Amino acid sequence: MVTEEEKIFAKNFNIEDHPDVPARLPPHLELQRTRVLCKNDAPIHTSSVQYSGAYKFVGVDNSVKLESFSENFRVDVISEDGMELEFDMIGIDAAIANAFRRILLAELPTMAIEKVFVANNTSVVQDEVLAQRMGLIPIAADPRLFEYLSENDQPNEKNTIVFKLHAKCEKGEPRLKVLTKELIWLPNGSELIKESGGSTSKPRTYTSFSRSQDSFPEFANNPITPSYPDILIAKLGPGQEIELEAHAVKGIGKTHAKWSPVATAWYRMLPEVILLKEFEGEDAEKLVKACAEKVFDIEDMGNGRKKATVARPRQCTLCRECLSEEFGEPIVKPILKGEDKSKREWVDNVALRRVKNHFIFKIESTGSLPPDVLFTEAVKILEDKCERVIAVLS
Amino acid sequence: MEHGSFTNDRNASFKLPQEDHTLANAVRFVLNQDPRVVSTGYSIPHPSLECVNIQVQTTGDPAREVFKDACQELMLMNRHVRSVFEKAVADYKADEQERLKEAKEALKDQMESMDIEKNN
Ligand code: SF4
């Protein structure tokens, strides 16, 4: 017969609350869980341990609760200059950090040239190549102010930006470079007249703007231009000419890389370099010299003794020069008959590791939005994705 | 869309159209962290299909609820990430401004002291 009291006890009983059960992992497992170990042939323990019950057998809970995540998550900004942003993201799993990176590259909208109407092109760059080059020009316009142009839509002031380009190299002149600063924004839309049957009807152009983009408060005193004025589009020889109109629309990097808002967005895990023995005197100097990234420094210990220290582990590129035989401890083994005597083995005196939940994140914007805004937008997109799934399920 | 059985709601797979590794891998991570989940994984049936299948097996709770909770949790995590990030950037920018001002003042001081020397 089970009493009510026993039932309550059984319900509240949790083996992990028991004082004899360890709440922390033994050090070797903790190392495997939190670090990638970089050996001289390959890195090991590269995957993150995700399953909540992975360490059940030693009585440790591996689950991440929202509260503990919130407590431990940290962001340190390293540098920011309006186009590039470097920050440390600490206490997050690669699965989520990677989702941010993927969204930054492929799912954030920007404006890019999608249609090019060539009126005249006598340059050596063929029309289609020219159009492809124009598409890749980053445009400094906030995509949040525009709408997507869907298939049945007319291009209008809310979904299209029109640029004009007219460059000519006169006869007898030296060769002319056509740069992006020659792209002129047409706030009133296209100026090219569409050929139409009836001559009585009003001439139609390739866009149907109902008002000038000038009248938008965002663009009033702030004309839309390419992000950089000095990107080369084409070179013209004497007598050659380019006259065209380019229409930029909103899109995402998944459709075409020209809509990617970042030159690149990437992360790396924080390197951790540890000296397993004291490097002194000549050894220390050799070690400092071996590292091209200047990770090690020499510390004076007084009375002429010198010691190597790890001064800048962040710089480590994992070239593994410091894991070479020169810095290892030889293993003395009896040489068997027929074995190659030149083949010696050694153990490393330097440990190279990567911290699995510490990401050095770098975002290089192409100019449509500052990188910090890009990141917040990326996080918002992941939030929206979750919301959509929840909405479908409930 | 859910694929499961009527008699046993512990196991189910969910087909998410228009999604890829971005969401699936993040959700799989959150699902794995949930003690109610026995096993979970995702697959993209074919590279030319724009969808991903996420499979969930639980210890007893309905898979649908567990999956929904995971999405909820991921969303809250993101919200937290965003607020922490915004604060960190704002702090950095404020610091930077401070530093710029100090540098300017230091420069001005230097100039002034030079002037005084000249006057002497
Ligand atoms: S791996 Fe290369 S960069 Fe890193 S500490 Fe060793 S020598 Fe330096």
Side-chain angles (χ1 to χ4, degrees):
Chain A
M1 183 69 197
V2 187
T3 64
E4 202 58 32
E5 209 171 314
E6 277 169 337
K7 263 191 205 160
I8 291 171
F9 177 78
K11 207 172 137 217
N12 293 334
F13 181 76
N14 186 348
I15 184 73
E16 279 151 26
D17 297 338
H18 201 271
D20 287 348
V21 174
R24 304 190 53 189
L25 282 178
H28 68 288
L29 286 181
E30 187 64 18
L31 191 69
Q32 282 182 13
R33 191 178 74 85
T34 58
R35 301 288 190 270
V36 175
L37 310 186
C38 304
K39 300 294 185 182
N40 62 7
D41 52 350
I44 54 170
H45 306 308
T46 50
S47 59
S48 56
V49 183
Q50 294 190 343
Y51 179 47
S52 62
Y55 298 115
K56 210 84 191 166
F57 65 98
V58 280
V60 174
D61 184 13
N62 189 42
S63 62
V64 176
K65 307 256 165 26
L66 189 59
E67 298 88 65
S68 65
F69 170 77
S70 306
E71 226 166 79
N72 297 325
F73 180 72
R74 237 174 63 220
V75 170
D76 294 335
V77 181
I78 308 294
S79 68
E80 197 266 355
D81 69 352
M83 285 303 258
E84 279 183 32
L85 169 68
E86 186 176 335
F87 63 96
D88 282 17
M89 205 157 59
I90 305 154
I92 198 165
D93 191 78
I96 296 174
N98 194 38
F100 296 150
R101 185 191 62 87
R102 286 174 62 96
I103 292 173
L104 277 167
L105 288 173
E107 290 180 50
L108 278 179
T110 54
M111 305 297 286
I113 291 169
E114 168 74 351
K115 281 207 174 95
V116 178
F117 298 83
V118 183
N120 187 11
N121 176 18
T122 52
S123 76
V124 288
V125 187
Q126 299 95 321
D127 291 0
E128 62 273 25
V129 179
L130 189 64
Q132 145 80 1
R133 287 179 70 78
M134 308 272 304
L136 296 172
I137 295 170
I139 291 172
D142 187 342
R144 291 173 295 185
L145 304 171
F146 292 91
E147 291 165 1
Y148 287 100
L149 173 68
S150 59
E151 228 164 274
N152 323 323
D153 270 359
Q154 281 294 318
N156 61 28
E157 73 280 2
K158 288 202 201 75
N159 57 30
T160 307
I161 303 174
V162 183
F163 292 101
K164 178 173 85 174
L165 174 71
H166 191 180
K168 186 171 185 192
C169 181
E170 298 296 342
K171 287 221 170 81
E173 295 282 313
R175 279 209 285 167
L176 181 78
K177 282 182 182 166
V178 184
L179 302 179
T180 40
K181 66 173 169 238
E182 261 138 290
L183 278 172
I184 295 165
W185 176 45
L186 299 178
N188 291 310
S190 172
E191 289 173 350
L192 288 180
I193 308 293
K194 231 182 198 170
E195 286 171 29
S196 60
S199 54
T200 47
S201 61
K202 208 171 114 234
R204 285 194 303 138
T205 64
Y206 285 90
T207 54
S208 39
F209 279 28
S210 58
R211 56 191 270 224
S212 166
Q213 283 171 337
D214 267 345
S215 61
F216 290 31
E218 294 88 0
F219 304 132
N221 295 310
N222 182 18
I224 303 176
T225 56
S227 304
Y228 298 92
D230 52 355
I231 303 174
L232 184 66
I233 299 173
K235 284 184 182 175
L236 299 182
Q240 295 178 346
E241 183 177 2
I242 292 178
E243 184 179 4
L244 56 79
E245 208 174 82
H247 292 198
V249 298
K250 188 169 168 177
I252 57 169
K254 223 191 232 175
T255 323
H256 190 293
K258 68 184 175 186
W259 278 300
S260 186
V262 291
T264 188
W266 55 277
Y267 59 75
R268 63 193 178 108
M269 284 178 273
L270 180 76
E272 190 179 66
V273 182
I274 288 168
L275 300 177
L276 300 177
K277 74 154 205 194
E278 297 262 354
F279 282 81
E280 285 183 12
E282 217 170 279
D283 282 353
E285 253 150 51
K286 259 200 234 155
L287 185 69
V288 170
K289 242 174 100 188
C291 178
E293 297 295 326
K294 308 214 173 357
V295 168
F296 305 107
D297 249 354
I298 296 226
E299 190 186 318
D300 228 321
M301 300 212 301
N303 54 43
R305 282 173 65 223
K306 285 185 178 136
K307 187 179 96 175
T309 55
V310 183
R312 290 167 287 271
R314 246 182 115 88
Q315 309 282 5
C316 175
T317 55
L318 222 62
C319 67
R320 293 179 233 169
E321 193 59 37
C322 53
L323 295 189
S324 72
E325 188 167 1
E326 197 184 341
F327 305 110
E329 209 68 58
I331 301 175
V332 190
K333 263 199 323 195
I335 293 172
L336 302 175
K337 222 168 90 191
E339 205 182 20
D340 186 1
K341 276 184 203 155
S342 63
K343 205 175 132 206
R344 258 167 70 216
E345 295 211 350
W346 73 95
V347 283
D348 300 323
N349 281 325
V350 182
L352 296 178
R353 300 176 192 153
R354 298 252 149 163
V355 184
K356 273 186 204 174
N357 68 354
H358 186 139
F359 298 98
I360 301 172
F361 216 104
K362 193 154 183 194
I363 302 172
E364 297 174 15
S365 165
T366 56
S368 63
L369 288 171
D372 51 317
V373 179
L374 286 176
F375 187 79
T376 33
E377 291 291 312
V379 181
K380 264 190 217 158
I381 285 187
L382 191 56
E383 259 169 62
D384 290 347
K385 281 174 186 283
C386 296
E387 241 162 65
R388 237 174 295 144
V389 175
I390 295 169
V392 171
L393 286 178
S394 36
Chain B
M1 194 177 38
E2 182 177 351
H3 298 277
S5 81
F6 288 114
T7 50
N8 179 2
D9 60 2
R10 285 177 38 205
N11 310 331
S13 39
F14 303 89
K15 181 175 171 189
L16 309 181
Q18 318 287 303
E19 293 297 350
D20 58 4
H21 301 279
T22 306
L23 180 66
N25 195 27
V27 171
R28 184 189 61 159
F29 164 73
V30 182
L31 275 169
N32 258 323
Q33 297 292 346
D34 191 330
R36 292 175 296 175
V37 172
V38 173
S39 144
T40 178
Y42 77 93
S43 77
I44 292 178
H46 190 275
S48 67
L49 292 175
E50 277 221 338
C51 75
V52 49
N53 291 332
I54 301 182
Q55 199 242 18
V56 185
Q57 292 182 20
T58 73
T59 52
D61 300 49
R64 191 191 181 85
E65 291 308 311
V66 174
F67 183 56
K68 210 164 83 184
D69 286 351
C71 291
Q72 184 79 27
E73 178 122 343
L74 182 58
M75 195 175 76
L76 295 175
M77 272 166 117
N78 280 331
R79 253 187 221 157
H80 182 72
V81 169
R82 209 171 74 206
S83 68
V84 171
F85 177 80
E86 272 167 4
K87 190 170 171 299
V89 171
D91 284 354
Y92 177 82
K93 282 186 179 163
D95 277 1
E96 196 73 340
Q97 217 113 72
E98 195 79 358
R99 239 171 291 157
L100 222 74
K101 222 164 72 190
E102 264 167 35
K104 247 188 216 157
E105 257 157 39
L107 202 72
K108 221 166 83 187
D109 284 351
Q110 221 174 15
M111 297 287 247
E112 271 166 14
S113 66
M114 271 159 69
D115 277 351
I116 292 163
E117 273 164 33
K118 237 189 281 168
N119 291 344
N120 292 345

